[in-house]
Amino acid sequence: MRKMLPRMTAESLPERLDNLPVEPKDFLQLVAVDFSGTYHVYLAAKDERLKMTRLSMSLLAAPFAAAIALASAKVINPAALTSWGGVPWYLFAMVAAFGLLNILPFLRLIEAVNAHMRTARALNNFRLLYVVQLKDHFSALGWTPNLPVDPRYPETYAPLAWPGTNVMMLALVNSAYLAVGVLGMVGSTPNTALLLVIIGLLALVHYFVYYVRANVSRQRRLPHNPFHFPNVET
């Protein structure tokens, strides 16, 4: 079987597809389905981000709730919590443990963003089918779907977009919990500069994980493609 030539953009597609037994009214149904699909993809993405953020906030609040409960039960003296050396080691262990647990929503948030962005790219690639066919029809109506047709958009790695900002803030908070918890357990009394350096290094590790996972498509093995369709995903 011969290999098909790559079709990367709408300009490389044929201007007319008269051989297809499809009427404009049938393609208009595709437009309606496309709008609905795009809406549901971004709605699901927003819902996933909110769920993971709430889970993360719940995990991060657990050490504070435990400290309040122990102080209320008079297990520990509330005045001891005002200084680094007075905090019991098991509270530091709890801070480190929940900082470690909070890596799970951090990773899940990255995977959710990747999944939704890849779905949006697939919709953009699918949109090329009817955008080329209905170009004249849309011009006659004076209307355009106003949706992207580039299958390389949107990027999964976008640290300055809202999903990326959410991921980076979680990375910073996780790093702070892990640094404070581990240093407290080993009995070290760090100064501000040392604590900031450790938090920064841990945040860089989180950032590296985010960068690798967001660009995993460039490193993964592609699925079997017996018809030799070009891969347009970046």
Side-chain angles (χ1 to χ4, degrees):
M1 182 179 292
R2 64 182 181 87
K3 291 187 177 181
M4 298 183 65
L5 295 176
R7 295 179 178 179
M8 297 297 294
T9 62
E11 287 78 7
S12 62
L13 291 173
E15 290 294 326
R16 302 291 301 173
L17 303 176
D18 295 325
N19 294 328
L20 289 179
V22 181
E23 299 296 328
K25 61 181 179 63
D26 299 319
F27 273 96
L28 284 176
Q29 294 177 3
L30 294 179
V31 178
V33 172
D34 188 9
F35 269 108
S36 176
T38 303
Y39 172 77
H40 285 296
V41 166
Y42 285 103
L43 193 65
K46 179 182 177 181
D47 183 62
E48 187 79 21
R49 288 197 297 269
L50 287 175
K51 285 181 179 178
M52 290 301 103
T53 303
R54 288 170 181 165
L55 175 60
S56 177
M57 294 300 103
S58 299
L59 291 174
L60 295 175
F64 295 96
I68 293 173
L70 291 173
S72 300
K74 298 182 179 181
V75 176
I76 58 176
N77 185 4
L81 301 178
T82 59
S83 64
W84 180 279
V87 178
W89 69 270
Y90 50 84
L91 280 183
F92 281 119
M94 190 173 296
V95 170
F98 279 95
L100 194 61
L101 281 176
N102 202 46
I103 294 178
L104 295 178
F106 168 79
L107 294 175
R108 183 66 190 94
L109 188 59
I110 295 173
E111 297 301 325
V113 170
N114 287 347
H116 296 131
M117 293 302 102
R118 295 189 196 288
T119 304
R121 288 179 178 187
L123 287 172
N124 294 347
N125 199 23
F126 161 78
R127 195 173 296 123
L128 284 172
L129 288 172
Y130 70 80
V131 167
V132 172
Q133 175 70 10
L134 288 181
K135 183 174 64 174
D136 297 335
H137 187 73
F138 289 155
S139 299
L141 293 175
W143 177 80
T144 175
N146 196 28
L147 290 169
V149 295
D150 187 355
R152 297 166 297 179
Y153 173 85
E155 285 287 341
T156 55
Y157 174 69
L160 297 182
W162 163 237
T165 302
N166 200 355
V167 169
M168 296 308 298
M169 289 301 102
L170 279 183
L172 190 60
V173 175
N174 287 357
S175 302
Y177 269 59
L178 289 172
V180 170
V182 172
L183 288 176
M185 281 193 299
V186 299
S188 175
T189 306
N191 55 35
T192 303
L194 176 61
L195 192 58
L196 290 178
V197 168
I198 295 176
I199 291 174
L201 291 175
L202 289 173
L204 283 177
V205 174
H206 283 74
Y207 176 79
F208 178 74
V209 171
Y210 169 51
Y211 179 81
V212 170
R213 293 304 302 163
N215 291 279
V216 70
S217 63
R218 294 192 178 101
Q219 303 171 17
R220 68 180 178 180
R221 247 181 52 183
L222 295 176
H224 181 54
N225 184 4
F227 297 104
H228 304 289
F229 288 115
N231 179 44
V232 295
E233 191 175 320
T234 60

